Amino acid sequence: MSEVRKLIAGNWKMHTTLAEARELARGIVQGLGADPQAEVAVAPPYTALAAVAEVVAGTPVNLAAQDVFWEEKGAFTGAISPVMLVDVGCSQVIIGHSERRQHFGETDATVNRKVKAALKAGLGPIVCVGETLAEREAGHTLQVVERQVKEGLAGLPADAAGRLVIAYEPVWAIGTGRTATPAQAQEVHAFIRTLLPELAGTPRVRILYGGSVTPDNAAALLAEPDIDGALVGGASLKAASFLAIIAAAG
Ligand code: PEP
């Protein structure tokens, strides 16, 4: 088993009105109780962060954002700074999700700037990496993930280990219902760990698996020695299924 407490994070993507976000957050808080089996975070859309912050205040649920810009403030229309996320109550932020890379031109270089800015502001970055189906079928999975990890996390301070989280999310498994097998995920997680010798402190960097995690497959994935939690998309939009995944981490 892994040496660190597992983290189950829900990525709500571009879903939920304010009322829906409050209801979902309340359902999670109520179902979780005071002493959950894992650390828990939810990442609502920007518009719902303040509302969800009120619901999760004083509970074990941490608030995360789905993206961040690297500048502190200024003429950057549409962007949100790390300081603003801290101000609204976030303690973590997802960076470099494959949907950001695919639809919004995110690169390893922009990921790196965002990770550094997030850490500087006191946020814990959840940095997403993962290969496309074509890259896996061409036998390039480890090469792609190595580039994303090394370039996305270049030059981080050694004390980042305790706050940094990496999410291995094979692109072909996100939102497709096609999950990596526990063995496939474990192979990449163990490989990622070898890429971070400078961050190999205590506690170790948590590496989450993401890609069609459900209550049915969560326990087998989370039992792997290098899988320290899950980043959950679709199944985090219903309190019952998200809670069942958290229970599987215990
Ligand atoms: C995600 O968006 O990070 C994700 C893993 O989505 P899903 O669980 O729906 O595949």
Side-chain angles (χ1 to χ4, degrees):
M1 292 297 282
S2 65
E3 310 139 28
V4 291
R5 193 149 189 257
K6 293 203 191 306
L7 167 64
I8 308 295
N11 174 13
W12 297 1
K13 310 196 186 190
M14 197 172 71
H15 293 287
T16 69
T17 61
L18 277 181
E20 289 164 348
R22 282 194 193 95
E23 191 190 335
L24 178 54
R26 279 193 202 109
I28 293 166
V29 165
Q30 281 161 11
L32 209 54
D35 189 21
Q37 285 91 334
E39 219 172 283
V40 177
V42 294
Y46 285 141
T47 49
L49 284 173
V52 173
E54 280 182 21
V55 177
V56 304
T59 78
V61 179
N62 293 318
L63 189 65
Q66 298 175 18
D67 185 34
V68 68
F69 192 52
W70 54 77
E71 296 288 349
E72 266 182 40
K73 59 180 162 181
F76 302 103
T77 303
I80 300 289
S81 76
V83 175
M84 291 170 176
L85 293 183
V86 172
D87 187 46
V88 78
C90 288
S91 54
Q92 289 172 302
V93 58
I94 298 170
I95 295 175
H97 190 282
S98 66
E99 288 151 16
R100 301 287 324 164
R101 294 178 191 256
Q102 187 186 342
H103 302 299
F104 301 97
E106 196 88 60
T107 64
D108 295 325
T110 60
V111 167
N112 187 249
R113 293 186 79 170
K114 291 179 176 190
V115 171
K116 286 177 174 158
L119 285 166
K120 190 168 162 228
L123 290 163
I126 302 175
V127 183
C128 302
V129 299
E131 81 287 2
T132 63
L133 186 59
E135 288 163 342
R136 176 162 281 265
E137 287 178 347
H140 296 152
T141 297
L142 299 185
Q143 200 180 313
V144 168
V145 168
E146 177 168 3
R147 189 205 71 229
Q148 291 172 333
V149 169
K150 287 202 169 154
E151 295 183 14
L153 303 180
L156 299 195
D159 66 1
R163 281 181 295 149
L164 175 69
V165 174
I166 297 172
Y168 169 56
E169 300 206 302
V171 179
W172 49 270
I174 296 178
T176 59
R178 185 175 167 193
T179 316
T181 64
Q184 281 174 323
Q186 168 58 27
E187 182 199 9
V188 181
H189 282 229
F191 173 70
I192 290 172
R193 225 174 270 296
T194 68
L195 302 175
L196 302 167
E198 68 282 15
L199 295 177
T202 307
R204 74 183 195 177
V205 173
R206 279 188 291 199
I207 307 177
L208 314 184
Y209 168 78
S212 298
V213 175
T214 67
D216 291 335
N217 59 31
L221 287 159
L222 294 168
E224 292 293 334
D226 285 294
I227 299 185
D228 302 318
L231 181 54
V232 185
S236 73
L237 291 172
K238 294 263 183 293
S241 49
F242 191 54
L243 290 165
I245 292 169
I246 296 163

